[in-house]
Amino acid sequence: MKRLLVKIMIFSILFQLTAVASAQQYFVVQKKGKLKNFKYISGDYIYLETKRGEFKLSGKITQINDTSLVINKTSEIGLNDIGVIFRPNGLIRGFSNLFFIQGGAAYFFIAGANALINNESPIIDKSTLLISGSMIATGFAIKPFITRKLNVKEKWEVKILNFDEFKKE
């Protein structure tokens, strides 16, 4: 009897989740003439600039309407007013922070601690400074490439995919 009750509960939870997920609207940024696209749903973080370049908006998408987005429950922007969308590149951010900056600092401190333990002089030699310094400098040099600009005015277009229109009543 318990197994049947558990199965019924799991089935009803899965059924409710699929019903909620099917009524979702998507904000899509697609490259013109290509299949490359990025999808946003309510709750996703977005950072954008208007076509005139007067305003930059950032925050969570709280609502997706037919022709506009509501950001942080306070700002509504129409699709025709979006000029540039800034999209963070997680892979480059990870390499920059973890591998280069933190790795260079860790190498510097580990090599220094090792020289202290072994009573070596100088504690920090030229090769350690060169290696750790170049790693940290490389990490900071690739920081500008972390954010990708999707220019809606030229190469990208924005759309709203509304799956409620396909729902059977």
Side-chain angles (χ1 to χ4, degrees):
M1 184 68 172
K2 282 187 176 182
R3 286 185 179 180
L4 179 63
L5 186 60
V6 169
K7 287 180 182 179
I8 291 172
M9 288 179 64
I10 290 173
F11 178 74
S12 65
I13 290 171
L14 290 175
F15 180 73
Q16 289 174 355
L17 287 176
T18 58
V20 170
S22 66
Q24 192 106 32
Q25 291 182 329
Y26 291 92
F27 171 65
V28 179
V29 184
Q30 184 173 359
K31 197 164 195 173
K32 291 180 182 177
K34 305 284 182 180
L35 294 176
K36 177 88 172 171
N37 61 45
F38 301 103
K39 296 173 195 72
Y40 295 89
I41 59 171
S42 293
D44 285 350
Y45 179 83
I46 193 166
Y47 178 44
L48 53 89
E49 182 180 290
T50 60
K51 276 192 177 172
R52 296 181 186 150
E54 298 169 353
F55 298 105
K56 289 186 178 178
L57 297 171
S58 65
K60 283 190 177 180
I61 299 173
T62 52
Q63 187 177 358
I64 300 175
N65 301 324
D66 290 340
T67 58
S68 64
L69 298 174
V70 179
I71 299 172
N72 288 336
K73 296 182 182 177
T74 57
S75 304
E76 184 171 2
I77 184 165
L79 294 183
N80 296 331
D81 297 330
I82 298 173
V84 178
I85 297 173
F86 300 96
R87 184 163 175 86
N89 189 338
L91 182 66
I92 294 176
R93 177 183 291 160
F95 273 126
S96 173
N97 287 335
L98 181 65
F99 182 70
F100 289 115
I101 297 173
Q102 293 177 1
Y107 179 75
F108 179 81
F109 289 119
I110 290 171
N114 188 32
L116 275 175
I117 291 170
N118 294 332
N119 291 325
E120 294 176 359
S121 179
I123 296 173
I124 305 294
D125 60 350
K126 290 181 183 178
S127 65
T128 301
L129 282 175
L130 182 67
I131 293 169
S132 63
S134 62
M135 286 178 71
I136 293 171
T138 303
F140 282 112
I142 64 174
K143 285 277 188 190
F145 301 108
I146 288 175
T147 303
R148 182 176 180 186
K149 287 174 103 173
L150 308 177
N151 195 338
V152 177
K153 300 174 202 172
E154 297 170 10
K155 296 183 179 180
W156 296 83
E157 59 187 357
V158 292
K159 302 176 187 178
I160 302 287
L161 293 180
N162 186 0
F163 289 108
D164 290 335
E165 295 174 2
F166 303 110
K167 230 189 222 182
K168 292 182 181 179
E169 294 185 29

